[in-house]
Amino acid sequence: MMIPSAVLGFPRIGPHRELKKVVELYWAGKVGHGELQASASTIRVQRWLSLHARGVTIIPSGEFSLYDHVLDHCCMMNIIPDRYTKNDLSMTDMYFAMGRGLQDGKRGIDLPAMEMKKWFDTNYHFIVPEVSSSTQFKLNYNQALNEFLEARTLGVSTRPVLLGPVTLLALSKPSHDDPSYDPLQALDKLLPVYVEILSQLKQAGSESVQIDEPILVLDRAAGLEDVFRSTYATLARESPKIVLTTYFGRLGQALTYVKDLPVWGLHVDLSERGDASQLEEVVQALVPTPLVLSLGLISGRNVWKADLATSLEKVRYTVQHLGAERVIVATSSSLLHIPVTLASEDRLSSTQLDWLAFALEKASEVVTLARIATAAPAAATRDDGCNNDDQQAATYFVANQESIARRREFEAKSDPAVRHRLAMVTPAMYARTSPFPIRKETQQKLMNLPPFPTTTIGSFPQTSQIRLARSHHNDGRLSLAQYEGMMEGEIERVIRFQESIDLDILVHGEPERNDMVQYFAEQLNGFLFTQNGWVQSYGSRCVRPPIISSDVSRPGPMTVRWARYAQSLTPKPVKGMLTGPVTILNWSYPRIDVSREVQAKQIALALRDEVIDLEAAGIRAIQVDEPAIREGLPLRNVDWDAYLTWAVESFRLATSAVEDSTMIASHFCYSDFNDIFSSIKRLDADSISIEASKSDMKLLNVFQTQQYSSGIGPGVYDIHSPRVPSQEEIQARISSMLSYIPSSLLEVNPDCGLKTRAWKETEEALKNMVRAAQWARRTYVSNIAK
């Protein structure tokens, strides 16, 4: 019997970001709904046919999305807050309004976007569903069925994918008008919708369905046994065969009840970001059951070629105990988190290409592994199999082992200077000279900031002219002198605008930067870069994560030239802007041969040199952003302390060499700080800014209960939406914030950088923000004096 190969999900954006382009054209009113849907269909068809051509036996459908798969489920199942239903919008326009907001003065529409959070410990953002006791669940359309039927017209049999009902509600939040409601209370009302979806799939001929329940890898799953038992008893009655799918971590205690659920199969993540050590425990638990086990062996989180020999041992162990008929070889998770294909990468060397595998290449790895595991043991080392597929698999397998050996040889050749420097780090290098109260007094004497000081997070709009200039410089059509002259002109424009509206701490706007991680990685030793290695971050926002391939060091200054120029234009303080070591690590594809701690601290030492150089250049405030520090937190509490220890140490190693007079700031976005607040305090930053505008201020409770004593700037408006907040709206937010944060500590800033916004909306929003801060000074200055 042939062991099946399965891909759990696939990138949605298209090989050349085709989805991003058509979605943004739709938003701009340049294409209609029909063209949007036709382009989306073309991308789906291409995905299915590509996987089918590579021999994947279980191909996913239903997981494609124009914006976000959680948002898809909300609209499909009518989990739509009332505020979006009152403007006579089409379903598509309502969908996008929920994801990114909608402001249309002509029609009197002013809808903020829904809250956005990170998807478990990834850099993907999902839209947080809002559920209340009055939510009217119903099936508006069956996306899983529609895509299943669409694929079948091509002659491609697929396995529909659904986000499971328990995870969907566990990730939800109560609606604004019902804040004490627990969304899981709505499970009994939601389940009939799932039953309807599944029964329609079964009637249409779907043999099996993948139901994702990643909530099972969190600690809270231990208390959800009764919920899962009753839920899946209900779903199993009218469903195709259910493959209950987990990823990103280990099942742990939940395995004791998951093994007895009335499902056909169970998927577990055995990759380096899941937990390969759980295999034996899972296999032994399933031996007395009839369940099929889907082995998540090919990583959906990294871009390194899989060691198929090591994976083959795991497959054979499982076959030995369960039988081949109860085994599926699969990706560890959806391949959403990696680029589409290496095929268009022609700037990487042949050696570097030999190390890597993107989504389509990983699909081939899954197929090869399944075929080799099915064949006789000797087939893995010869290419004289009885059919072409076996021969190709054997040849691929042998080539894979040769490639892995070459990579291991390269990894052994580390940079001894980098390793030695890290070994010589002392405890004193993690600490500032003086405690915060002394530093604050020194910094205030130097900068003389007013109450409620205003600033931005760093970036200003990246116009098409800026992107074109960068492109022309990269391909030689613009000389270095011409390019730098254009960047200086843009920096001066940004400085003059900030002065004109009376911002207090300025930024240079980062026109020279392509991405907050890639920009630094390109100037550090130890990174690889792709031409087309795009992945979705949120909505139409795509990023190209760098790849850490060897030991990291800084050949020379990276930002000093631009920061010095910006500061020369104004007497006001201009922040030096750096991305922190933990974020550079978490937003890159890390090595898997050394620990993440080692990689983070190597990056921290490189940034330490940059911080020292910025201070020497006269920069009085240096912001070292760590938006990814919370998302990198392990999913299990037992693993938190080790991570937070080296994460905090990495930040402090990068920032602690400066004088008391230099302000160290940091920025965090879409993070729930309650569980890690003590670690945020241990960063010892002089000022931090956080996302707060989409979270109903709930993030701010901890600043009150934990008595945070440094400067804090909760975002007063959402920059991920084109919507412009009014001055009155921002004033109301500032007033609300003062319920949690002392007026002497409150700073005023947007949620995040302004790179993705247009200039017009940026100017209007910042003017309103500054006016609101000036109003706060007039209104609350007596409180500050007290």
Side-chain angles (χ1 to χ4, degrees), residues 306-326:
D307 182 345
L308 294 183
T310 300
S311 297
L312 181 60
E313 293 175 3
K314 294 179 173 63
V315 180
R316 287 182 171 159
Y317 169 82
T318 308
V319 168
Q320 179 184 354
H321 289 83
L322 299 183
E325 70 281 359
R326 292 178 59 192

Side-chain angles (χ1 to χ4, degrees), residues 41 79 171 208 350 359 382 407 414 465 484 496 624 684:
S41 178
I79 310 174
L171 296 179
S208 64
S350 58
R382 68 172 193 259
R407 173 65 192 173
S414 63
Q465 292 89 345
E484 290 189 343
R496 298 303 175 224
V624 182
D684 197 25

Side-chain angles (χ1 to χ4, degrees), residues 90-208:
S90 68
M91 179 60 77
T92 299
D93 289 343
M94 185 160 48
Y95 170 88
F96 285 131
M98 292 165 69
R100 63 191 297 266
L102 179 63
Q103 197 167 45
D104 186 336
K106 293 180 179 178
R107 292 190 288 172
I109 299 174
D110 188 5
L111 294 170
M114 293 172 66
E115 183 178 356
M116 189 163 61
K117 280 188 176 181
K118 294 294 180 73
W119 180 247
F120 292 80
D121 60 348
T122 75
N123 187 33
Y124 177 80
H125 304 67
F126 75 97
I127 299 298
V128 180
E130 296 179 20
V131 177
S132 73
S133 57
S134 61
T135 299
Q136 299 296 311
F137 300 99
K138 65 177 181 177
L139 185 60
N140 288 326
Y141 54 89
N142 192 337
Q143 179 176 331
L145 175 65
N146 294 341
E147 291 189 21
F148 173 76
L149 296 175
E150 182 182 17
R152 192 162 68 182
T153 64
L154 305 170
V156 178
S157 177
T158 62
R159 181 173 70 184
V161 179
L162 289 169
L163 180 61
V166 181
T167 295
L168 179 62
L169 292 179
L171 296 179
S172 299
K173 70 174 189 178
S175 63
H176 300 162
D177 57 354
D178 203 355
S180 62
Y181 187 72
D182 178 1
L184 276 172
Q185 291 178 253
L187 187 59
D188 288 344
K189 294 194 293 182
L190 174 62
L191 284 181
V193 182
Y194 271 88
V195 169
E196 187 176 359
I197 292 169
L198 293 169
S199 63
Q200 289 180 9
L201 284 169
K202 186 175 183 179
Q203 292 169 16
S206 174
E207 294 184 3
S208 64

Side-chain angles (χ1 to χ4, degrees), residues 219-268:
D219 291 328
R220 65 180 299 188
L224 295 174
E225 177 176 352
D226 291 343
V227 171
F228 269 96
R229 288 187 183 278
S230 62
T231 295
Y232 281 85
T234 299
L235 297 185
R237 298 187 192 116
E238 301 292 336
S239 175
K241 296 182 295 186
I242 295 173
V243 179
L244 185 66
T245 303
T246 67
Y247 39 76
F248 302 153
R250 59 186 179 271
L251 270 170
Q253 185 179 341
L255 177 62
T256 59
Y257 66 82
V258 167
K259 66 181 177 63
D260 297 322
L261 295 179
V263 297
W264 178 76
L266 171 67
H267 174 86
V268 293

